Amino acid sequence: MIKFLDLYKVNQQYEPEIREAINEVLDRGWYILGEIDQRFEQNYAAYCGTKHCIGVANGLDALTLIFRAYKELGIMKDGDEILVAANTYIASILSISENGLVPVLVEPDPNTYNIDPEQLEKHITPRTRGILPVHLYGQLCGMGKMLQIAEKHHLQIIEDCAQAQGAVLSSDGRKSGNLSDIAGHSFYPGKNLGALGDAGAVTTNNDELAAMIRALGNYGSHKKYVNDYQGVNSRLDEIQAAILDVKLKYLDRDNAKRREIAKIYLREIKNPSLVLPYYSGNEDHVFHLFVVLCKERDQFQQYLNNHDIQTVIHYPIPPHKQNAYREWNSLSLPITEQIHEQALSLPISPVMEMNEIEKVVDVVNKFVSSSFKQI
């Protein structure tokens, strides 16, 4: 079986360094908000090119704390609107509604599957306060146009970098997490930079936001036992910080391997039943996922499974069709709906062997579909 993502093999290559890092934590005897966490925060901030990195418990908390900080600072208030891609993973949207803000769903660009900058202005109202671009599947959003719109309408831009650690903006070399006012990151084990459990971070160049988020994630406290806000407990522990610090050294190398696999897929997969992902050829895509569209998705997935190729559907139900947001169930978002009905993620990871890549290509090319529909 070709696994969709072999996390054992991913982490096995770093095993000696990971064990050494964990032992360092054990030897220090300090497990929360210690020197190892500070070291990772400094290294990840330097990697992204930002002044600040604040470690938190997970990616959802990162985004949720960002919006909470904006509210505490009086920049946003209940009922304010945030523009967000309609086809994102639901966590992006949950972070908005959790704070009493209103998610406004924007259809994606049918080529990149990221939020369509050309659609943003038609959704802006006097209550709009921000844009949440999600670098979906590992590809950067169209930030140039978005930044112009944000400046014109005095909006905050909050990046969701959960799937795009290390993606580089080709125009100036800046990395994801440093393309906006503030950014949330997930280090869930399956991410390009993955911990061995839940973990996340916030990056920003804004001193005031950074201080607020650090306090909010630590019980609302800047100083122990002095609570200025009604905060939460969302902190990156020392063990996960140590592991992430090891793996950060290899992130660019691993992303390059992902791009090489993607290039092979894009060059060699010739099946007319599939829509392959758009790729500019630059480092603005780190291929967290390699997503194809197939009208007969379920048949295609079963066919691949029969040939011992594991795949995943990201994501079978769009947010506006979820029971959690039943008030949106009657919305018609045709591009989003087609993506969710047809998307299938093929195996891609830095530990795939060439024979596995070749088998995926061969099996995919031999799939026969009765029809083919393109967005």
Side-chain angles (χ1 to χ4, degrees), residues 79-99:
D80 284 346
E81 297 173 348
I82 307 296
L83 308 186
V84 60
N87 62 311
T88 184
Y89 181 56
I90 200 169
S92 312
I93 295 167
L94 290 172
S95 70
I96 300 169
S97 54
E98 172 67 16
N99 281 285

Side-chain angles (χ1 to χ4, degrees), residues 296-305 311-313 344:
E296 296 179 347
R297 194 246 323 268
D298 293 344
Q299 177 189 338
F300 181 45
Q301 184 178 41
Q302 184 59 56
Y303 162 81
L304 293 175
N305 187 63
T311 57
V312 176
I313 296 172
L344 188 70

